[in-house]
Amino acid sequence: MKPAEVLKKWWGYGSFRPMQEEIISAALDGKDVLAMLPTGGGKSVCFQVPGLMADGLTLVVTPLIALMKDQVQNLGERGIKAIAVHAGMNRREVDLALNNAAYGDCKFLYLSPERLGTFLFRSYLEVLNISYIVVDEAHCISQWGYDFRPDYLKIGELRKTVNAPVIALTATATPRVAEDIMEKLGFKEKLVLKSGFERPNLSYVVRKCFDKKGQLLNVCNGIAGSGIVYMRNRAKCEETSSFLSSEGVSCSFYHAGLGSLARAERQEAWKSGEVRVMVCTNAFGMGIDKPDVRFVIHYDIPKSIEGYYQET
């Protein structure tokens, strides 16, 4: 099958979005590729299409448990077998998942970067038959990126034993970060493919105000659909969520200090529409596919321009 036929069969789309086809072609040619597409630009299709066309298993390294679960669920609903291994699982669950990935009819194995160096994962490497190594949120591998994750450096080590092309994906990277990503991942030849970052369906507004809580309430009440309110610290998440709830806004809060079960429940409540507004740190929201998000508010100044762009 050709890439366009795979897209039509599994996703029902008649054509690719800008740059998707070029990225897929590079991957099918066995090239290492760094793909820079805006959030919502269809990054997952860029590795899922070649992954379905290959004989083996596609290994997807991502730091976002929420995204893993979301994509595994979405692939499962299309009849494509995918498995996730993340930090919230015990040894027996991980062993069972890796066994299914190795010996079951599995096409995609999602793995958190922390799992790459474990003895259990390493013990399965010879039988996993990896056709592609996908690095999602690839800026995390760069010390010049805005969310450096040292565990990502283990991917470079993995390349020494696994002879498979790399598809690295990010929504935003400066030229310096892009160079660093390709170097750390051991690209055989440097190749960056990117589409334009302008999003005509988004508008950006900065408001100067003396009553921030009042303005926040006005936006939440004045715009239909769901929204996200980003805060810089956990205490303010809880305090602001409590304020909005007391004013009748359907909302909850989310930060890395919550247990994994609580985080999963809150994410699902927001995704399903049971909760309309999520007040959170940037631990929330990345990579979740939700069609009715109508506003993203930064109550505090974000850590960086790149962080702001990614979050919006």
Side-chain angles (χ1 to χ4, degrees), residues 57-78:
L57 173 83
T58 296
L59 177 68
V60 187
V61 182
T62 174
L64 306 167
I65 295 174
L67 179 139
M68 276 191 207
K69 291 179 176 175
D70 197 46
Q71 291 204 4
V72 168
Q73 183 184 335
N74 287 344
L75 286 166
E77 286 169 359
R78 289 188 167 87

Side-chain angles (χ1 to χ4, degrees), residues 11 15 32 43 46 69 76 88 94 96 132 137 165 177 196 202 216 218 225 227 247 253 273 276-277 289:
W11 284 271
S15 61
D32 297 327
K43 288 194 288 293
C46 294
K69 291 179 176 175
V94 173
L96 189 63
Y132 290 104
E137 308 296 331
V177 170
L202 300 185
L216 176 64
N218 286 343
E247 295 290 334
F253 65 87
R276 191 170 73 88
V277 178
D289 189 9

